[in-house]
Amino acid sequence: MAGETTGAVRWILRLEGICVLAAAIFFYPAPDFGWGCFALFFLAPDLSLLGYAFGSRVGAVAYNAAHSYAGAIVCLVAGSLFALPVFSCAGVIWCAHIGFDRALGYGLKYPGDFNMTHLGRIGFQSGPR
């Protein structure tokens, strides 16, 4: 499919996801918020999957908005600029979630097919990946 990342580039992007996850865990402000907070909110971006109840186009937009680094970086910057640790915490957890997803091969969604992402097809299918 056009737009699908394959080969070595796909593995580099997945490695980047591992690096983002590791950095987010390293920089997580655990003394201020605790690891329970991290665990509680780690999967929060996946609530965007509820958008698929309104069709694949709405679902893909909602999923991609919640799984783009843009929002997480805005949280990190706002937390730093305005001394709002809760925003910094949210940004770090959000980055960790996205990095984790990318490391597993879950990329941004195409509107026509839930299983097709910018990192390639996800789920069970026949044939080579």
Side-chain angles (χ1 to χ4, degrees):
M1 176 176 178
E4 178 181 350
T5 305
T6 60
V9 173
R10 176 180 165 88
W11 288 105
I12 291 169
L13 291 173
R14 290 179 78 170
L15 179 60
E16 282 181 348
I18 292 170
C19 292
V20 169
L21 174 61
I25 289 170
F26 181 79
F27 287 108
Y28 179 69
D32 296 330
F33 293 96
W35 288 104
C37 178
F38 187 95
L40 180 65
F41 291 106
F42 183 74
L43 295 177
D46 284 340
L47 292 173
S48 64
L49 289 168
L50 295 173
Y52 280 96
F54 301 98
S56 63
R57 184 165 301 281
V58 172
V61 168
Y63 182 91
N64 291 343
H67 288 82
S68 165
Y69 285 113
I73 300 301
V74 167
C75 279
L76 288 170
V77 170
S80 295
L81 286 177
F82 303 112
L84 297 168
V86 71
F87 279 84
S88 296
C89 176
V92 168
I93 295 170
W94 198 350
C95 283
H97 176 88
I98 296 168
F100 180 73
D101 274 8
R102 296 289 201 285
L104 293 177
Y106 295 99
L108 299 174
K109 306 281 188 185
Y110 287 98
D113 183 354
F114 176 83
N115 292 324
M116 184 51 73
T117 76
H118 83 284
L119 294 177
R121 185 164 286 284
I122 58 172
F124 296 102
Q125 68 273 342
S126 60
R129 273 183 81 161

